[in-house]
Structure formats: structure tokens, C-alpha cells
Amino acid sequence: MGLMLFMDIVLPMEQQSFFIILVLELPALEVRANGIQYTFAPCIAVCGDPRWGRCYESYSEDPEIVRLMTKIISSLQGEITDDSEKGARFVSGQQKIAACAKHYVGDGETHLGENTGNTMISSKKMFGIHMPAYNDSVIKGVATIMTSYSSWSGVKMHANRKLVTGYLKNKLKFKGFVISDWQGIDSITDPPHANYIYSILAGINAGIDMVMVPLNYTEFIDEEKESQAIKHPRPKSGDRRTARLSRNKNSPTLKGIIRLQALVRGHLVSRQAVVTLRCMRAIIEFQALTRGRMVRLTNGQLLKNRLQQHLWSKLFCLFWVTLLKYGTTLGMRISLACQKKGR
């Protein structure tokens, strides 16, 4: 949570592109260093109603800024290659993790801002404001997409075959897998879990490939076995999509290398953030003093010192990131060579 709040405060400074890359790549390193290969991020909801209680999960009410922030997918998964097929998921190397674009779709503009409520907007607004970020995510090779608790014009997104299969998979050519939200299929009925067999059928037939069942998973398995109405080839299609994610485990040596890189990079990000904020403060103070066309040399010198400090910090970060990049690559090659030799 602390990292997300830190990102929300600092990331809007688009001119700090180098700094943004450092911040966005850091979570992938830290997660992978712990042996985890999947994260439920980014949330690319467009906050269309400030009464929505989860506005803090959205990068902006401006859809263009939200689209810009889909670059986090490339930072988490790696930059997709030019020869990649459109819609194919892309996770590059053992320092990257699978991302998850969420919550598909329109969860940021429910009626009266009600959480998990009904999004009552036109098709033009849905596809013009809320959908573009998902199109960008698919182009960037996002591995997974999570459906939303919310509804669109009364149809629950977890049961919306038109949008999940028809638009996302068929039109946008998304070839990753679609995952439900936490007990998401339960919310298809009102009250939740009122008709579990129906919820399972509706969710899977809509196009959900992986169902998040955090608690009573045995009930889900039993109910799914009893039902014979699931349209084929959906189960096999879901198996193929989920099987595409790599299951390679990190060796102890590789984990140590990644943890060291994550630790040093985290320090660099913190250092750069402090210097950037100090520089901004100096600029604001300087602008305030010059409004009346009165410039004090002391404050002008302060601004100069801040800017110099900012520049030196960037050079310092660039040096260490370059060293880490090539040093880590060499370390990984040594680790893999040792594994092969051990075999």
C-alpha cells in the first residue's frame, strides 16, 4: 500500500521518465525476488465519479493519463518484441512477472459512485473512455485481465459474454487468461452465492478462464463436476490459456542476485524522490519571489544548487542502474551455468 501511495504522488511528474522507469521496475524485482511470478496490477480504472470509494486505485479521471500508465505492464513483464503476435501475453526473463490489468471494465463510473454497482453509461462513453486502456494493455502483451464486480446496464461483468469473449478475446485478440475477482462469480446472483451452479456456468461461459475461489474451493469443484451444461470447448480453452504462463522457479543464487538489485534500486528511487521534491520546492519558492519582478540572489543561488543536486543524482542513479543491469545479467549467466554443470 505504501508503494502504491508513493507512486500515486510521484508518478504524475511525466517529465521524470527515467525516475518513473526506476519506480515501475522495482515492484517486479521485489516480487520475483520472493519467488512470486504474478501480481494483480495495474488497476487501469478511470475514476469517472469522485464518490466512488476506490478512486485511490485509479491513476486519474483523465483516460489519457490512465492509458499512459499502462507502461507499468512493460516494466513488470518486459518490453514486448516487434514480432510478437497481437494479443499474445509476453513475460520476458526471470526478473519479470505476469501483470494483471483490472477491473474490466467501467468500474470507476458506477451509478452514484456505488462500489460494485451498475455502470449506466452509453456504449460511446464505455468504449471511448474506459476501454482504450485495455486495448493498450493487450497491445503491450498483458498476461491476464481481471473482471470487475460491477455491472454495465444491469449485466454483471463476470457474466458478460459480449464484452469478455466477444470484445476482449475475439475483437481485441487477447490471448492471455481472464481471471475473476475475489469470489467474483458469487456476486453474479443477488444475494451473492444464492445459486452457485448458475454462477459457475454464467462466469465460465462468459469467458472467465480462472476462477478466484479463496475460501470454499471444494464446493466449487463439486458443483462444477455436477454440472454438464458448460459450453465446450470453454474448459479446454481455459486450460490452454492458463498453461501459457511460465512456471520456471528461481534458483537460490538467482533469488539472491535479484534481491540485491531490488534493494539497491529501492534506495536509488528513495534518493531520487527526495531530491526531486526538494528541487520542486526550490522552483516554487523562486517563482513566488519573481512574481513581483524581485529576484533575490540568495534564492536564485538556492535554485541553482537544487538543480545541480538534481542533475548529479540522476547521473548517480544512471551509473548504478547500468552497473546493476550488466552485473545482474552476468550473475544470472553464471548461476544458470552452475545449474547446468550441477546436472
Side-chain angles (χ1 to χ4, degrees):
M1 177 62 73
L3 177 61
M4 291 306 296
L5 291 176
F6 173 77
M7 288 168 65
D8 288 341
I9 293 170
V10 179
L11 288 181
M13 298 183 292
E14 298 172 19
Q15 68 275 21
Q16 301 290 334
S17 57
F18 173 73
F19 176 57
I20 291 175
I21 291 172
L22 280 178
V23 175
L24 297 184
E25 289 184 344
L26 182 59
L29 285 171
E30 292 179 334
V31 171
R32 195 65 194 255
N34 288 283
I36 302 170
Q37 302 177 43
Y38 186 25
T39 183
F40 291 145
C43 177
I44 52 175
V46 177
C47 184
D49 191 326
R51 293 172 294 184
W52 184 42
R54 298 172 71 175
C55 267
Y56 62 89
E57 291 190 12
S58 171
Y59 290 113
S60 177
E61 63 182 354
D62 185 344
E64 292 306 315
I65 293 178
V66 175
R67 292 182 67 182
L68 176 68
M69 293 313 300
T70 58
K71 66 168 64 176
I72 191 174
I73 294 169
S74 300
S75 297
L76 293 172
Q77 298 188 166
E79 197 72 38
I80 193 167
T81 56
D82 295 334
D83 59 347
S84 296
E85 184 182 1
K86 183 186 177 183
R89 66 94 189 161
F90 183 85
V91 182
S92 172
Q94 291 184 300
Q95 295 186 56
K96 300 299 182 180
I97 56 177
C100 179
K102 62 180 188 179
H103 305 89
Y104 186 82
V105 57
D107 52 330
E109 198 165 351
T110 55
H111 182 57
L112 301 178
E114 180 185 358
N115 188 39
T116 74
N118 187 22
T119 303
M120 301 168 61
I121 58 176
S122 65
S123 296
K124 183 178 180 180
K125 196 170 185 181
M126 174 63 83
F127 290 99
I129 294 178
H130 298 276
M131 192 64 77
Y134 287 95
N135 184 40
D136 293 347
S137 299
V138 171
I139 292 173
K140 287 179 172 64
V142 68
T144 70
I145 290 178
M146 183 186 293
T147 46
S148 173
Y149 287 120
S150 61
S151 308
W152 182 35
S153 299
V155 180
K156 286 286 187 179
M157 284 306 308
H158 277 78
N160 197 322
R161 181 175 175 82
K162 182 179 178 181
L163 283 185
V164 176
T165 296
Y167 192 83
L168 181 62
K169 293 184 176 182
N170 294 341
K171 186 166 185 178
L172 296 186
K173 306 300 181 183
F174 174 62
K175 294 180 176 62
F177 72 79
V178 176
I179 184 171
S180 77
D181 209 327
W182 175 285
Q183 292 184 316
I185 62 169
D186 297 50
S187 65
I188 290 175
T189 58
D190 188 17
H193 206 80
N195 188 339
Y196 200 41
I197 292 181
Y198 169 77
S199 295
I200 293 173
L201 295 176
I204 293 178
N205 286 332
I208 293 174
D209 302 299
M210 179 179 287
V211 180
M212 195 188 304
V213 185
L215 303 175
N216 195 0
Y217 65 90
T218 56
E219 180 189 11
F220 173 82
I221 294 173
D222 293 340
E223 296 286 6
E224 188 182 23
K225 285 180 178 179
E226 288 182 12
S227 173
Q228 301 297 322
I230 297 178
K231 297 178 182 177
H232 295 285
R234 279 293 304 124
K236 291 183 180 179
S237 173
D239 291 342
R240 286 196 299 269
R241 286 173 179 269
T242 54
R244 286 171 185 162
L245 281 180
S246 171
R247 296 183 181 180
N248 294 331
K249 294 183 179 180
N250 295 346
S251 67
T253 306
L254 183 58
K255 281 185 180 180
I257 293 172
I258 296 176
R259 282 175 180 167
L260 176 62
Q261 184 176 4
L263 180 65
V264 176
R265 188 166 292 203
H267 173 73
L268 295 178
V269 168
S270 301
R271 175 190 174 95
Q272 180 70 10
V274 172
V275 173
T276 300
L277 292 174
R278 285 178 179 173
C279 183
M280 289 176 62
R281 180 179 176 183
I283 291 173
I284 293 171
E285 290 175 352
F286 184 74
Q287 288 176 340
L289 287 168
T290 56
R291 282 174 188 167
R293 297 190 178 183
M294 294 177 60
V295 181
R296 295 181 184 179
L297 181 61
T298 54
N299 284 278
Q301 186 63 36
L302 174 64
L303 175 60
K304 181 180 178 181
N305 292 340
R306 290 278 197 265
L307 291 174
Q308 287 178 345
Q309 185 181 12
H310 184 60
L311 176 62
W312 280 112
S313 177
K314 274 195 172 183
L315 292 174
F316 175 80
C317 289
L318 180 61
F319 169 76
W320 276 104
V321 169
T322 304
L323 183 64
L324 283 168
K325 179 180 178 180
Y326 293 101
T328 303
T329 303
L330 178 61
M332 288 175 63
R333 289 179 178 176
I334 294 172
S335 174
L336 293 173
C338 291
Q339 288 182 37
K340 291 179 180 179
K341 187 175 181 181
R343 290 176 186 175

